[in-house]
C-alpha cells in the first residue's frame, strides 16, 4: 500500500473543472489542471468536504460493495452508531441489527459496544496523564491525519487508544473464531462506515500496524437494503445489542467527551472549526481543559459524507433512542487493555514543507513572496490553485508555471502584440 | 538569492477578531519552511502575546519579522501610551488591562513574562506618550 492512501477520489468524466472544490478544501489539496481536478494525496485528509460540495458529483469515496460478503465463509457486520440515526421512528436498535443478519451477515458486533470500552479506558488514561492535558480524541481519522501533517506540537496530546471500530473488529474476530472454529482468514469483519476517512483508516492505519477490518461498506448503500428488511424484522427481533447510552452517544459530537464524566472538556465539529481549535491549542490559548473531542464532520459522525439523514435530525433520533437505555452495557475485562493501545509511534510528516533544509526553505520562501508580489492577489482560482499564494508555492515546488496566472498571461500577450504591432509599423 | 526572508504585518487597532492574524500567518509560513516544531511553537506563542498587547494596550502597530538560517527576529512597534516602568510590567501578574478587556479573558499579566520565557532574547524600548518597541529573537533549533 502506498504511504499516502486516500479514499476520496475524482470521477474524471463528471468533473467540469470548476473551482468549487479547490476553494473549499480545508488543506488546499486540490488543483485544477488541464480542466480537471487533481487531488494531491499527501495533503488530503479524507474529510469528505469536496464530496459534500461538488455540484457535479465528481468526487466519490472508495469503499467495498456488499458483494464482498460472498468472499468469506462467515461474516460479522460492525455497524457504526451513526447508522441508528438514519431511520425514522426507530425505537430499538435490535431491529437494525436483526435486519443486518437478514441481509446476509452471520453475526453483528456493535461498534458502540467497543466505544463503551474505549470510554472506560479513556477515563483512566486521562486521569493518569495530567502532563498530557488536554488529551485529544483519536476516533476521527481525518483529525488524526490532520494533526500528523500540520500540528506536530499536538501529536503528544493524542489519545493513544485504538478507535472503537478497531477494538470491535478484533473482538468480533476472536468471538467468531471461537464460535465457528474457522481460521481467521475465512471470517470477514465488515464495517458499515459513515465516511471515507474510516476507509482510509483501514487501508493506512495510524498508531497501529494493521487493521482487523476486512472490508468497509458505505452506510448510504446499506441503508436502502436495510429498510425493507427492518420491516420484516419487527416481529422476530433478536436481542443482539451490546451497547447502552454511552456507546450510542458516540455517534454525534459530545458523546465521546461526555462519556468521560468530566466537565472539563471541549467538543468541536466541522473541519474548519476543528482547524481553528487546533491552531489555538497549539498557541496554548486554552488551559485547564482535560479533554478535547474533535470531529471532522458537522454534528459528528452522523454528519459523515456517506450517511443519508440530515446530521442534526440524526442527532435528535440518536438522543431519543438512547433515552431509556442503561448507561453502558459493555465493560472492560482485565487483561484486555494491552492490545487496545496504539503500538506505533505517530510521527510528524511535514508534507507541506518547501525545502529540505533552512537554507533551501529561505530561498524558496523568498521566491514565493516574489511571485506573490507579481500576482494581482485576486485569488480568482482561474489558474487552478485556490489562492495566488498557493500558485506561488506550486511554482516553487515545480508543479505550475507563472503563466498559469491568466493576469500574467494577459500582460504577456499584450506585450507581445505591442511588439508585433511595432514591427508592423516599422515595415 | 537572499539568505534572509522579511515579512511585514500591520496590526489594526481595537479589532479583537483580527488579533492573532499576524502570528498565525507567520506560524503557517514557518511550518511550510519545515522549521522545527518547538521553534515554531515558541515563535507563535511569543508573537501572539506581543500582538495582543499592541491591540489591548496601544492602538495597534506594525510587526517586522526577519527569518535567517539561525534565528527569527520579531520587531513589534506601536505608537501607544508607552510603558512607564518596564520592570514592573514584566512581573508575572502585573496588568493595567481595563475591565472590558478582562472580561474577554485577557489581563492576567502573563503576556510579557511569557514573551520572555518563549523567546531567547527580549528587548523592550518604551517612552511614555510616544510608543513601545518590543524586539524578540528566537534561535532556530535543529
Ligand atoms: N505595547 C504596550 N503598550 C503599552 N503598555 C503595554 C504594552 N505591552 C504591555 N504593556 C503594559 O504592561 C502590562 C503587562 O503586560 P502583559 O502582557 O504582561 O499583561 P497583560 O497584557 O495586562 O495581560 P495578559 O497578557 O496576561 O492578557 C500591561 O498591563 C500594560 O500595562
Ligand atoms: S467525524 Fe466521523 S464521520 Fe466524519 S470524518 Fe470523522 S470519523 Fe468520519
Ligand atoms: Mg498581554
Amino acid at each position: 500500500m502506498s504511504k499516502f492512501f486516500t479514499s476520496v477520489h475524482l470521477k474524471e468524466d463528471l468533473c467540469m473543472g470548476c473551482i468549487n472544490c479547490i476553494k473549499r478544501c480545508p488543506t488546499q489539496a486540490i488543483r485544477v489542471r488541464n480542466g480537471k481536478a487533481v487531488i494531491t494525496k499527501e495533503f488530503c485528509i479524507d474529510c469528505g468536504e469536496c464530496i459534500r460540495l461538488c455540484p457535479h458529483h465528481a468526487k466519490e469515496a472508495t469503499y467495498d460493495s456488499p458483494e464482498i460478503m460472498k468472499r468469506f465463509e462467515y461474516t460479522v457486520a460492525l455497524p457504526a452508531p451513526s447508522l441508528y440515526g438514519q431511520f425514522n421512528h426507530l425505537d430499538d436498535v435490535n431491529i437494525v441489527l436483526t435486519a443486518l443478519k437478514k441481509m446476509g451477515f452471520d453475526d453483528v458486533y456493535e461498534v458502540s459496544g467497543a466505544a463503551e470500552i474505549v470510554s472506560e479506558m479513556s477515563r483512566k488514561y486521562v486521569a493518569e496523564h495530567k502532563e498530557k492535558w488536554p488529551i485529544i480524541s483519536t476516533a476521527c481519522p481525518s483529525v488524526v491525519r490532520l494533526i500528523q501533517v500540520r500540528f506536530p506540537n499536538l501529536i503528544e496530546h493524542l489519545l493513544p487508544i485504538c478507535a472503537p471500530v478497531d477494538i470491535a473488529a478484533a473482538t468480533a474476530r476472536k468471538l467468531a473464531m471461537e464460535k465457528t472454529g474457522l481460521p481467521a482468514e475465512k471470517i470477514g469483519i465488515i464495517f458499515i462506515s459513515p465516511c471515507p476517512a474510516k476507509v482510509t483508516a483501514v487501508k493506512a492505519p495510524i498508531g497501529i500496524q494493521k487493521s482487523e477490518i476486512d472490508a468497509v461498506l458505505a452506510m448510504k448503500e446499506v441503508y436502502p437494503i436495510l429498510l425493507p428488511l427492518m420491516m420484516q424484522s419487527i416481529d422476530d427481533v433478536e436481542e443482539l445489542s451490546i451497547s447502552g447510552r454511552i456507546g450510542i452517544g458516540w455517534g454525534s459530537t459530545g458523546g465521546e467527551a461526555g462519556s468521560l464524566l468530566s466537565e472539563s472538556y471541549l467538543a468541536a465539529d466541522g473541519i474548519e472549526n476543528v482547524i481553528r481549535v487546533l491552531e489555538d491549542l497549539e498557541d496554548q490559548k486554552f488551559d485547564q481543559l482535560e479533554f478535547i473531542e474533535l470531529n471532522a464532520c458537522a454534528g459528528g459522525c452522523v454528519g459523515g459524507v456517506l450517511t443519508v439523514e440530515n446530521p442534526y435530525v440524526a442527532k435528535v433520533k440518536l438522543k431519543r433512542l438512547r433515552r431509556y437505555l442503561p448507561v453502558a452495557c459493555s465493560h472492560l475485562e482485565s487483561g484486555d487493555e494491552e492490545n487496545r493501545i496504539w503500538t506505533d509511534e505517530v510521527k510528524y510528516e511535514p508534507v507541506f514543507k518547501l525545502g529540505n533544509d533552512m537554507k533551501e526553505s529561505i530561498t524558496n520562501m523568498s521566491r514565493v513572496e516574489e511571485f506573490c508580489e507579481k500576482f494581482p492577489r485576486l485569488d480568482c482560482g482561474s489558474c487552478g490553485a485556490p489562492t495566488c499564494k498557493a500558485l506561488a508555492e506550486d511554482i516553487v515546488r515545480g508543479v505550475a508555471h507563472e503563466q498559469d496566472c491568466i493576469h500574467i498571461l494577459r500582460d504577456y500577450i499584450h506585450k507581445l502584440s505591442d511588439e508585433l504591432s511595432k514591427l508592423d509599423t516599422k515595415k | 538569492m537572499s539568505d534572509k526572508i522579511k515579512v511585514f504585518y500591520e496590526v489594526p487597532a481595537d479589532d479583537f477578531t483580527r488579533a492573532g492574524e499576524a502570528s498565525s500567518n507567520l506560524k503557517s509560513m514557518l511550518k511550510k519552511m519545515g522549521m522545527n516544531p518547538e521553534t515554531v511553537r515558541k515563535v507563535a506563542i511569543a508573537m501572539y502575546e506581543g500582538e495582543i498587547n499592541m491591540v489591548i494596550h496601544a492602538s495597534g502597530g506594525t510587526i517586522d519579522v526577519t527569518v535567517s538560517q539561525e534565528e527569527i527576529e520579531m520587531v513589534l512597534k506601536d505608537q501607544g501610551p508607552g510603558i512607564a516602568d518596564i520592570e514592573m510590567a514584566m512581573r508575572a501578574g502585573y496588568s493595567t488591562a481595563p475591565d472590558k478587556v478582562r472580561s474577554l479573558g485577557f489581563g492576567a499579566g502573563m503576556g510579557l513574562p511569557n514573551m520572555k520565557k518563549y523567546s531567547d532574547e527580549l528587548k523592550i524600548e518604551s517612552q511614555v506618550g510616544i510608543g513601545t518597541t518590543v524586539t524578540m529573537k528566537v534561535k532556530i533549533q535543529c
Side-chain angles (χ1 to χ4, degrees):
Chain A
M1 193 56 55
S2 125
K3 190 167 167 201
F4 297 110
F5 173 90
T6 58
S7 166
V8 176
H9 63 265
L10 185 77
K11 268 176 127 170
E12 205 160 288
D13 49 328
L14 292 181
C15 176
M16 309 284 283
C18 70
I19 59 166
N20 283 299
C21 60
I22 61 171
K23 280 285 189 187
R24 306 252 305 263
C25 171
T27 57
Q28 299 198 331
I30 316 176
R31 301 289 183 271
V32 172
R33 297 214 171 95
N34 303 319
K36 300 285 177 193
V38 180
I39 304 174
T40 306
K41 285 191 179 300
E42 289 90 312
F43 300 171
C44 173
I45 56 168
D46 276 306
C47 66
E49 279 299 300
C50 56
I51 298 184
R52 208 169 268 132
L53 63 87
C54 174
H56 310 290
H57 308 289
K59 297 285 195 324
E60 58 174 15
T62 309
Y63 45 78
D64 299 299
S65 126
E67 289 291 302
I68 200 158
M69 287 162 70
K70 292 184 189 146
R71 271 202 223 158
F72 303 95
E73 239 167 80
Y74 189 89
T75 53
V76 186
L78 265 44
S82 43
L83 177 67
Y84 313 138
Q86 309 300 307
F87 307 101
N88 289 325
H89 313 299
L90 180 71
D91 52 19
D92 182 2
V93 296
N94 283 308
I95 300 174
V96 180
L97 303 176
T98 307
L100 279 167
K101 285 184 75 175
K102 286 205 179 352
M103 179 179 160
F105 289 102
D106 296 295
D107 203 356
V108 292
Y109 192 96
E110 288 184 282
V111 174
S112 45
E116 294 183 345
I117 291 169
V118 175
S119 291
E120 237 173 83
M121 289 176 70
S122 305
R123 249 174 265 152
K124 209 165 143 212
Y125 185 88
V126 171
E128 286 169 1
H129 291 84
K130 279 203 169 109
E131 76 288 355
K132 295 206 166 141
W133 285 2
I135 287 159
I136 305 172
S137 77
T138 48
C140 175
S142 196
V143 171
V144 178
R145 178 73 188 152
L146 176 67
I147 292 174
Q148 187 183 27
V149 297
R150 206 163 130 182
F151 297 95
N153 287 312
L154 298 179
I155 291 178
E156 59 169 350
H157 293 277
L158 290 173
L159 179 74
I161 297 176
C162 298
V165 65
D166 290 307
I167 293 179
T171 314
R173 188 182 308 279
K174 195 169 141 240
L175 290 176
M177 285 166 70
E178 283 166 12
K179 193 164 159 188
T180 62
L182 288 169
E185 66 277 10
K186 297 232 151 114
I187 294 166
I189 304 295
I190 302 179
F191 176 48
I192 298 165
S193 174
C195 66
K198 293 271 185 196
V199 179
T200 302
V202 169
K203 311 270 185 207
I206 298 179
I208 53 173
Q209 266 299 311
K210 190 183 164 298
S211 166
E212 283 283 340
I213 298 160
D214 298 303
V216 185
L217 307 187
M219 207 168 274
K220 62 171 188 180
E221 289 201 347
V222 174
Y223 175 81
I225 305 174
L226 283 183
L227 276 183
L229 297 173
M230 281 168 63
M231 295 305 283
Q232 287 172 30
S233 305
I234 289 184
D235 295 324
D236 55 350
V237 183
E238 278 187 72
E239 291 290 325
L240 297 163
S241 177
I242 52 162
S243 53
R245 232 181 295 159
I246 285 186
I248 292 179
W250 275 65
S252 63
T253 301
E256 179 188 3
S259 77
L260 299 179
L261 314 176
S262 146
E263 292 284 282
S264 168
Y265 72 80
L266 174 160
D269 57 17
I271 191 68
E272 294 293 349
N273 298 327
V274 165
I275 292 174
R276 233 179 299 159
V277 169
L278 292 173
E279 290 284 356
D280 286 353
L281 198 55
E282 195 175 48
D283 298 348
Q284 300 188 344
K285 282 184 208 164
F286 14 69
D287 41 14
Q288 291 159 357
L289 280 178
E290 292 177 20
F291 190 78
I292 302 207
E293 175 187 330
L294 299 171
N295 296 297
C297 299
C301 293
V302 286
V305 75
L306 300 178
T307 63
V308 287
E309 180 60 284
N310 168 322
Y312 298 96
V313 175
K315 193 168 183 167
V316 174
K317 289 182 183 170
L318 283 188
K319 210 165 149 192
R320 244 195 62 202
L321 200 54
R322 289 168 61 198
R323 210 167 23 185
Y324 300 112
L325 293 179
V327 176
C329 298
S330 295
H331 299 281
L332 196 61
E333 281 160 39
S334 59
D336 275 352
E337 280 128 311
E338 260 168 59
N339 35 26
R340 288 168 177 168
I341 301 277
W342 277 1
T343 47
D344 290 24
E345 189 193 344
V346 178
K347 287 213 184 76
Y348 175 37
E349 281 177 17
V351 295
F352 297 100
K353 77 172 181 191
L354 282 167
N356 292 313
D357 55 40
M358 235 346 105
K359 190 156 178 253
E360 192 180 41
S361 291
I362 290 177
T363 311
N364 286 344
M365 197 46 91
S366 354
R367 285 184 64 211
V368 169
E369 298 288 326
E370 273 166 38
F371 281 120
C372 282
E373 291 295 314
K374 278 197 210 169
F375 296 146
R377 299 201 174 225
L378 293 172
D379 293 342
C380 69
S382 306
C383 58
T387 60
C388 298
K389 187 157 192 192
L391 177 65
E393 289 172 9
D394 285 353
I395 298 171
V396 169
R397 287 195 172 100
V399 294
H401 301 283
E402 199 176 334
Q403 286 171 7
D404 288 343
C405 170
I406 56 164
H407 306 275
I408 299 256
L409 182 65
R410 189 185 56 197
D411 292 348
Y412 174 75
I413 291 172
H414 276 213
K415 218 173 95 199
L416 215 63
S417 71
D418 272 357
E419 276 165 18
L420 282 176
S421 62
K422 265 183 227 152
L423 279 177
D424 217 30
T425 45
K426 267 188 210 160
K427 244 195 270 172
Chain B
M1 194 89 2
S2 78
D3 53 355
K4 278 189 177 125
I5 166 156
K6 289 181 192 290
V7 250
F8 172 77
Y9 301 100
E10 252 171 276
V11 180
D14 288 326
D15 191 346
F16 280 97
T17 53
R18 287 187 57 192
E21 233 176 58
S23 44
S24 84
N25 196 296
L26 178 64
K27 189 168 77 171
S28 123
M29 184 180 108
L30 296 180
K31 282 188 189 176
K32 281 189 183 147
M33 296 176 73
M35 186 94 53
N36 159 292
E38 185 52 26
T39 310
V40 178
R41 194 171 78 100
K42 288 166 71 180
V43 170
I45 296 173
M47 174 129 142
Y48 177 72
E49 291 287 3
E51 196 181 342
I52 291 286
N53 276 357
M54 291 203 291
V55 176
I56 296 178
H57 306 295
S59 45
T62 59
I63 308 179
D64 280 284
V65 179
T66 311
V67 185
S68 68
Q69 277 184 64
E70 296 79 35
E71 63 180 19
I72 298 130
E73 184 192 62
M74 297 157 265
V75 182
L76 298 87
K77 266 196 204 108
D78 68 60
Q79 265 109 52
I83 306 172
D85 186 340
I86 294 178
E87 206 181 307
M88 175 108 95
M90 286 297 298
R91 277 188 212 150
Y94 176 83
S95 175
T96 60
D99 287 347
K100 187 185 97 188
V101 172
R102 284 177 199 262
S103 66
L104 292 169
F106 300 104
M110 287 310 295
L112 288 171
N114 274 334
M115 285 154 76
K116 182 155 182 65
K117 178 172 163 199
Y118 289 101
S119 60
D120 294 301
E121 233 181 282
L122 168 72
K123 191 171 83 192
I124 304 174
E125 294 153 292
S126 190
Q127 263 183 295
V128 174
I130 294 181
T132 304
T133 301
V134 177
T135 307
M136 291 185 282
K137 289 183 183 171
V138 174
K139 297 244 172 310
I140 295 175
Q141 303 170 350
C142 289

